[in-house]
Amino acid sequence: MSAPGEFLSDIKEIRRRARQHLSEGAVTQNYGGKAKDAVALLNHAVATEIVCVLRYKFHAVCATGIASEAVKEEFAQHAKEEEQHLDLLAERINQLGGKPNLNPDGVSSRAASEYAEGENLIDMIKEDLVAERIAIETYREMVRYFGDRDPTTRVLLERILAQEEEHANDMHDLLVTHDGRPVLEK
Ligand SMILES: [Fe+2]
Ligand SMILES: [Fe+2]
């Protein structure tokens, strides 16, 4: 970190550099990572979110049985939030000069989470809990990767991570409520 005086004298240099490479938009010279690598990583997260949106939507429509209404609402709410994550990631990829990969071909192989329909309500909740736990692990890894290299992406991923943790907690609570017993290891 430069001293305040040095920082001010750097301003001239910062102004000079800002006028170069205007086609790179928000990616300036002191961007700490490789924008291409960042875009590739974020596109994995995009695929994960697409799978999560689709799985929650399927569950919101197809859940059946006693007390499924409240659970369906929760599934639908999560589907909306996963879609917001998808939008945020796609916007960030665009800012980094990349293209969000929304091509349906190969989505499930690019995603970390799985598309599991589940046989019944409990199965569905379990599958969602598993998917959230996968998302949490991958987002936490990505937060560490971006660290100081790209604080904007890191902060964005931290916000998404916090919401995935809430989702996992919601699914855990539903599982305990509807399964009627503590969650046991398989
Ligand atoms: Fe998400
Ligand atoms: Fe989630």
Side-chain angles (χ1 to χ4, degrees), residues 49 81-82 85 139 160 164 167:
E49 295 295 350
E81 287 165 357
E82 307 299 7
H85 299 167
Y139 279 122
I160 298 176
E164 307 300 10
H167 287 173

Side-chain angles (χ1 to χ4, degrees), residues 26 39 42-43 46 83-100 102 152-153 156:
V39 166
L42 292 175
N43 264 324
V46 160
E83 194 175 342
Q84 287 165 1
H85 299 167
L86 172 58
D87 291 345
L88 290 167
L89 293 164
E91 285 292 340
R92 185 60 186 152
I93 288 170
N94 185 256
Q95 284 175 0
L96 290 170
K99 277 200 297 189
L102 298 174
T152 312
T153 302
L156 170 69

Side-chain angles (χ1 to χ4, degrees), residues 108-159:
S108 63
S109 61
R110 294 195 299 274
S113 57
E114 291 164 304
Y115 181 86
E117 292 185 349
E119 297 286 311
N120 52 49
L121 191 64
I122 300 299
D123 249 19
M124 289 178 178
I125 300 169
K126 266 189 194 163
E127 288 300 340
D128 290 326
L129 176 55
V130 169
E132 294 295 351
R133 286 165 59 81
I134 292 169
I136 289 167
E137 288 254 318
T138 52
Y139 279 122
R140 210 176 272 139
E141 285 285 309
M142 286 171 71
V143 163
R144 289 189 187 125
Y145 170 82
F146 283 100
D148 285 341
R149 286 184 179 123
D150 178 346
T152 312
T153 302
R154 188 197 70 230
V155 169
L156 170 69
L157 295 172
E158 283 171 351
R159 274 173 54 202

